[in-house]
Amino acid sequence: MKAEDKKPSRRERLAKKIKTNLSMTVRELFEQIDEDRSRPKAMAYFDSIFKNFTGGGENVVQVPEGQKVIGTYCVFVPEELVYAAGAHPVRLCAGTYESSEVGEEYLPDVACPMVKSEMGLETMPILDFYQKCDLVALPGSCHWKLKMAEMLEERKPVHVLDVPRIKERENSRQYWLEEVKNFKAAVEKTTGTRITRKTLKGAIRTVQAAQVEVHRFFELRKAIPAPILGRDALAVMNAYFYDDVSRWAAALAELNDELEQRIAEGVHVAPASSARILLTGSPMVFPNWKVPMIIEDLGGVLVADEFCTSQRYLSDMVAMDEGTLNDMMMAIAERYVLPCSCPMFSNTLERRDKLLQLIEEAQVEGVIYHILKGCHPYDIELKMMEKLMQDKGIPMLKIETDYSPQDVEQLRTRIEAFQETLRGRRRVQ
Amino acid sequence: MNVQRLRLISQFVFFVLLTYGGLFAIDLGSRMPTFSCAFVPDNGGSCFLIGFQHMLSRPLPEFLGEQGIRLLKSLGIVALWAVVINKAWCGWICPFGLMQDLLTRLRNLVFIDMSRFGWVTRKRYKSVKYILLALLILIPLGIGNGVPGLSRDWTAPFCQMCPARPLMPLFRGDFSEFHIDFSSWPGLALTTIAVILVGLLFTSAFVKRRFLCSYCPMLAVLSLFDKVGFLSLNKDGQKCTRCGNCSRACPMEIREIEEEKTLSNLVTQDCILCLKCIDACPENQALEARFLGMPIYTASAEGFLKRQNVDLLRLKRKKKR
């Protein structure tokens, strides 16, 4: 009996192998990233989170003994409620190719790579914080996520949030408010702490303070020439998934100060001649930096993005009005759904306006629309966005890919040609 | 300067001016489109509705002569007042609005939750103010033209049922209007309504914001000038994310402010120009109040943060790692 305990099972061996592969991917990625000598110094903090990603990483979900960890997916889980209950939220949306194979055991071939990757991480001991969660909050935003919740239910406590698809209606808003209240109850049950007016207000303030830096960051990114690469910006926002909110915000404030100084001194990461590109579409999570790495290696620069893992995640703030618990709950509920430009909603109005606004403000020359194979919501909206860009005369490149490194060369060729087009357009103008 | 504080100061100043102005020989006339009650002794300017109703209770042919000119002159003054600052009369001047806003502040102090109308209900109640307006025109006309059943007891019917009549003179120590009139049936009915409305003013403020304003016929009068008034509330739909902050902050629960993406001037029927929507708007230049086309108050991300009291010191170099 004892001997058997010591001997790792087949599954454990597999998990270990995946973990080793993942560490190697991360190391290789950083070898490439570190080649760039013009990166802001303040990026070191965010690198420390990712460099030792598999080993738990510095600042990755470091919680004191006894503090509860609540895993979240998508952009619809109100984190203020988690903070108010004294728990630590960690966003579990994943970008690891290595774990996808495990996920395929549970999901059909056509499932999106993100949900495959997540299923792998949820069911195998690869990354610590997936196993640490005392509760996993899963919004039923797309059907992959909704069914994933059901598959996970037998393994760990799961709370599903049903996000209404039509946000312009009174009944959907009431329904969503009830859903947020249900989530509050679930968090209270998990943590054993009651969320009060005071704790909730404090939590809102904490998140708002971080968002102030986020706003500053996205403003600074728009400068010409670009003071920071888009992949680094994605990493900064991605680090929020795992880090403590206030510590992260302080690190971002430091980065912002450095970027401000860079802009004043004219220090840049890409010359003014680089094509200014906006990236949108299916989310990108570390270490799936495939597309941004290619774009920026080829001399382009990502000056804006419209991802739920980045801009969309933290842009909108809770607006408090009267300060009662109910009022705050309503403000929180509305903040997570109403201004959200996720394609799961019935209209594309918010997304159109957001894209056009970003394009104008960041002086974007071309848009790259990233679709993960099997990510239906973004796939469905493609044609509409294509038409919008055509009408506005902005070149757009569609890239359909997954987490595997197989198509890198092919993507490189297409992105190179696209950037050549953008440069050609500039010469004509 | 916080616009809501400025608004409160303005309301206070006008409350004092209109209620006690007569004591200092101030008189802004009796043609004002706001609920400064004419029954307040020594007022500094009063509501035009009482004179309006009296003027209307004449036989119709008289309106073709001098009486008509007097009526037009009176309405002309009201229109002038209304064009210059249209709905700001409601949000920035009306003493009755001040009462409700103060009670709302009191409610906020003790953290009592408010409730909201359902969307359909809210819409349905919109017509009440027009019905009241129609009645306050038709009943006096009926009295003047001998419509059976309408005796002199119906004189100035709106004033008889208006809660400002019993309430506002109290501030001058005059309790004579705080009564129920048992001398006639119409008087009994209307004055009872007035006293009930005073009670509602105090109770409703603990349930809803600006409850009575939704039914105010003065709002119906002023809303005739929504599109021509010098003050306008403008929206740039392109910059709006439809986050709903504005309509949540709106004391009149106006939905258009959030939903509208194309229309520019958004002074809607129930808008009282309190500008709380601009306070709550986090998008640069999405909402803007203008006077004769000149911007006077514009939504901004920075202003939003200031008003939200985001504690920026919290971030002051919290030692990293």
Side-chain angles (χ1 to χ4, degrees):
Chain A
M1 193 73 190
K2 277 255 165 86
E4 251 183 52
D5 271 354
K6 272 178 197 162
K7 204 176 160 216
S9 69
R10 206 183 73 82
R11 238 183 139 66
E12 276 164 357
R13 284 205 305 276
L14 183 61
K16 207 175 163 198
K17 202 179 121 200
I18 292 173
K19 197 168 177 169
T20 317
N21 287 346
L22 181 57
S23 327
M24 238 142 76
T25 309
V26 172
R27 202 173 317 134
E28 275 166 26
L29 188 61
F30 267 101
E31 270 167 23
Q32 258 189 78
I33 291 173
D34 286 339
E35 269 173 33
D36 180 5
R37 300 275 166 228
S38 64
R39 300 175 78 218
K41 284 185 188 63
M43 279 306 293
Y45 175 84
F46 303 98
D47 288 350
S48 75
I49 288 177
F50 294 115
K51 272 190 171 156
N52 185 19
F53 196 53
T54 48
E58 284 176 76
N59 303 316
V60 176
V61 202
Q62 282 177 342
V63 290
E65 196 59 35
Q67 194 187 13
K68 301 281 182 190
V69 178
I70 294 182
T72 70
Y73 280 98
C74 296
V75 284
F76 300 109
V77 182
E79 289 178 3
E80 285 85 354
L81 293 173
V82 179
Y83 288 120
H88 182 86
V90 49
R91 189 164 161 198
L92 301 173
C93 294
T96 56
Y97 170 58
E98 289 73 10
S99 61
S100 309
E101 214 169 301
V102 186
E104 276 166 9
E105 284 174 29
Y106 305 90
L107 294 151
D109 282 351
V110 293
C112 92
M114 177 171 272
V115 75
K116 284 182 193 166
S117 165
E118 287 157 4
M119 267 318 269
L121 293 171
E122 288 281 11
T123 53
M124 283 254 182
I126 301 165
L127 291 175
D128 276 356
F129 53 86
Y130 278 83
Q131 322 304 324
K132 260 192 214 167
C133 294
D134 298 286
L135 178 73
V136 174
L138 249 162
S141 45
C142 67
H143 263 83
W144 299 125
K145 288 267 155 81
L146 187 65
K147 282 293 131 182
M148 194 174 122
E150 194 181 353
M151 287 184 252
L152 288 182
E153 254 162 13
E154 55 193 49
R155 297 170 179 275
K156 53 185 78 183
V158 173
H159 180 87
V160 187
L161 287 97
D162 189 9
V163 189
R165 266 147 226 274
I166 303 173
K167 41 185 177 180
E168 291 82 4
R169 293 208 184 129
E170 187 182 19
N171 52 355
S172 2
R173 291 192 190 180
Q174 282 167 351
Y175 180 72
W176 173 239
L177 180 60
E178 290 307 313
E179 278 298 286
V180 173
K181 284 180 182 167
N182 289 342
F183 177 62
K184 173 171 167 268
V187 172
E188 284 173 339
K189 198 179 157 207
T190 306
T191 55
T193 313
R194 234 191 58 172
I195 295 169
T196 63
R197 184 170 56 75
K198 279 194 183 129
T199 54
L200 189 55
K201 189 174 167 185
I204 290 175
R205 295 285 187 240
T206 310
V207 179
Q208 275 177 334
Q211 285 174 307
V212 172
E213 289 303 327
V214 173
H215 281 265
R216 217 176 123 210
F217 181 55
F218 282 109
E219 278 309 310
L220 292 168
R221 257 185 92 181
K222 290 171 187 162
I224 302 177
I228 185 168
L229 284 179
R231 61 188 184 215
D232 284 341
L234 281 173
V236 168
M237 298 305 289
N238 205 158
Y240 180 84
F241 287 26
Y242 317 112
D243 203 357
D244 169 74
V245 53
S246 297
R247 196 171 45 202
W248 178 84
L252 182 54
E254 208 142 299
L255 176 63
N256 283 338
D257 291 347
E258 190 180 343
L259 293 184
E260 236 160 41
Q261 204 184 340
R262 279 180 157 224
I263 293 167
E265 289 167 1
V267 179
H268 52 77
V269 289
S273 62
S274 348
R276 295 171 69 81
I277 295 168
L278 179 142
L279 199 51
T280 182
S282 308
M284 280 178 193
V285 185
F286 183 85
N288 177 34
W289 275 183
K290 187 164 71 174
V291 176
M293 289 301 281
I294 296 173
I295 296 171
E296 294 189 327
D297 280 348
L298 287 170
V301 59
L302 295 169
V303 289
D305 59 65
E306 197 267 331
F307 281 137
C308 59
T309 49
S310 171
Q311 175 102 317
R312 195 189 301 154
Y313 189 21
L314 286 170
S315 278
D316 302 301
M317 287 190 193
V318 174
M320 287 214 287
D321 186 22
E322 294 209 330
T324 61
L325 188 61
N326 264 329
D327 178 70
M328 282 190 271
M329 288 297 285
M330 194 161 171
I332 288 172
E334 294 198 347
R335 170 257 186 266
Y336 279 91
V337 161
L338 294 192
C340 184
S341 52
C342 179
M344 71 153 283
F345 294 110
S346 63
N347 78 62
T348 55
L349 213 59
E350 270 71 57
R351 187 138 184 255
R352 284 160 194 261
D353 283 352
K354 190 90 234 170
L355 280 173
L356 294 180
Q357 195 184 355
L358 283 172
I359 288 169
E360 195 195 315
E361 287 176 4
Q363 304 193 32
V364 169
E365 291 166 288
V367 173
I368 293 185
Y369 197 104
H370 167 250
I371 298 171
L372 290 173
K373 281 176 193 158
C375 177
H376 299 142
Y378 284 97
D379 212 352
I380 296 164
E381 272 198 4
L382 172 75
K383 291 284 176 219
M384 286 190 268
M385 293 304 153
E386 242 170 16
K387 170 127 200 330
L388 177 72
M389 293 304 151
Q390 215 168 25
D391 292 346
K392 299 281 169 190
I394 293 150
M396 180 161 127
L397 175 73
K398 166 205 154 185
I399 284 177
E400 193 172 1
T401 181
D402 52 21
Y403 286 176
S404 83
Q406 283 167 358
D407 57 353
V408 167
E409 287 314 312
Q410 189 204 341
L411 288 179
R412 198 185 298 277
T413 318
R414 291 186 57 209
I415 291 171
E416 193 163 23
F418 181 66
Q419 291 196 15
E420 195 45 55
T421 320
L422 295 183
R423 275 191 286 272
R425 270 170 64 97
R426 200 188 275 193
R427 275 194 294 273
V428 171
Q429 280 160 11
Chain B
M1 181 86 185
N2 183 325
V3 169
Q4 291 314 317
R5 197 169 303 154
L6 201 65
R7 190 166 73 90
L8 194 65
I9 291 170
S10 156
Q11 284 173 311
F12 257 120
V13 168
F14 277 99
F15 168 73
V16 172
L17 199 69
L18 295 175
T19 313
Y20 302 97
L23 300 174
F24 309 98
I26 295 169
D27 188 9
L28 297 173
S30 55
R31 301 279 179 270
M32 302 187 94
T34 194
F35 276 10
S36 164
C37 190
F39 287 92
V40 177
D42 308 317
N43 60 54
S46 64
C47 174
F48 84 97
L49 284 176
I50 186 161
F52 179 63
Q53 289 171 89
H54 280 301
M55 258 184 252
L56 283 177
S57 44
R58 294 295 177 106
L60 278 176
E62 274 189 30
F63 291 110
L64 293 173
E66 201 192 334
Q67 184 66 14
I69 292 168
R70 270 177 59 203
L71 183 67
L72 282 179
K73 217 173 91 186
S74 157
L75 287 180
I77 297 169
V78 174
L80 265 179
W81 279 125
V83 164
V84 180
I85 53 165
N86 38 340
K87 290 290 186 55
W89 282 104
C90 303
W92 293 68
I93 293 176
C94 182
F96 217 67
L98 173 68
M99 300 293 123
Q100 295 180 71
D101 286 354
L102 285 178
L103 288 168
T104 298
R105 277 173 187 257
L106 179 66
R107 177 173 61 77
N108 286 342
L109 277 180
V110 288
F111 296 107
I112 294 176
D113 262 316
M114 65 165 169
S115 77
R116 286 163 210 268
F117 280 130
W119 293 7
V120 177
T121 319
R122 175 77 192 82
K123 223 174 191 165
R124 198 175 293 151
Y125 287 163
K126 271 185 165 182
S127 56
V128 174
K129 56 181 174 297
Y130 287 102
I131 297 170
L132 286 175
L133 182 62
L135 285 177
L136 81 81
I137 292 172
L138 292 177
I139 293 177
L141 276 179
I143 298 169
N145 293 283
V147 172
L150 287 179
S151 62
R152 283 283 154 190
D153 295 332
W154 285 94
T155 303
F158 182 74
C159 292
Q160 290 198 57
M161 65 165 278
C162 176
R165 182 185 46 80
L167 186 69
M168 299 316 287
L170 298 184
F171 289 98
R172 289 282 287 107
D174 177 2
F175 287 77
S176 63
E177 287 300 327
F178 205 100
H179 67 264
I180 292 177
D181 175 11
F182 284 92
S183 66
S184 68
W185 281 112
L188 177 62
L190 293 170
T191 51
T192 308
I193 292 175
V195 173
I196 289 174
L197 287 178
V198 173
L200 258 182
L201 166 75
F202 286 98
T203 44
S204 69
F206 288 89
V207 184
K208 282 179 65 51
R209 295 173 298 192
R210 292 253 179 174
F211 174 71
L212 293 175
C213 295
S214 324
Y215 314 108
C216 179
M218 194 68 86
L219 196 59
V221 173
L222 285 170
S223 103
L224 296 173
F225 302 89
D226 280 349
K227 303 298 167 203
V228 292
F230 293 172
L231 270 171
S232 64
L233 178 61
N234 298 73
K235 177 168 173 177
D236 183 347
Q238 200 81 67
K239 296 191 167 112
C240 172
T241 62
R242 298 205 294 177
C243 66
N245 289 354
C246 47
S247 58
R248 193 151 32 81
C250 179
M252 301 298 286
E253 297 172 30
I254 296 166
R255 302 224 57 80
E256 287 95 323
I257 188 82
E258 164 199 344
E259 286 160 358
E260 196 59 63
K261 270 254 186 192
T262 47
L263 209 68
S264 173
N265 190 351
L266 269 169
V267 183
T268 46
Q269 206 188 92
D270 285 342
C271 179
I272 55 169
L273 280 175
C274 66
L275 308 184
K276 280 189 83 177
C277 46
I278 303 186
D279 282 338
C281 180
E283 301 299 322
N284 286 324
Q285 279 126 38
L287 285 174
E288 188 168 76
R290 299 184 192 144
F291 185 74
L292 284 172
M294 283 177 300
I296 48 174
Y297 185 36
T298 310
S300 72
E302 203 184 327
F304 169 80
L305 292 175
K306 216 180 273 171
R307 287 182 288 277
Q308 283 287 307
N309 278 319
V310 174
D311 183 10
L312 297 169
L313 293 176
R314 198 187 279 261
L315 272 182
K316 268 258 163 101
R317 293 299 103 82
K318 217 177 174 185
K319 180 96 181 78
K320 72 168 190 179
R321 258 183 301 151

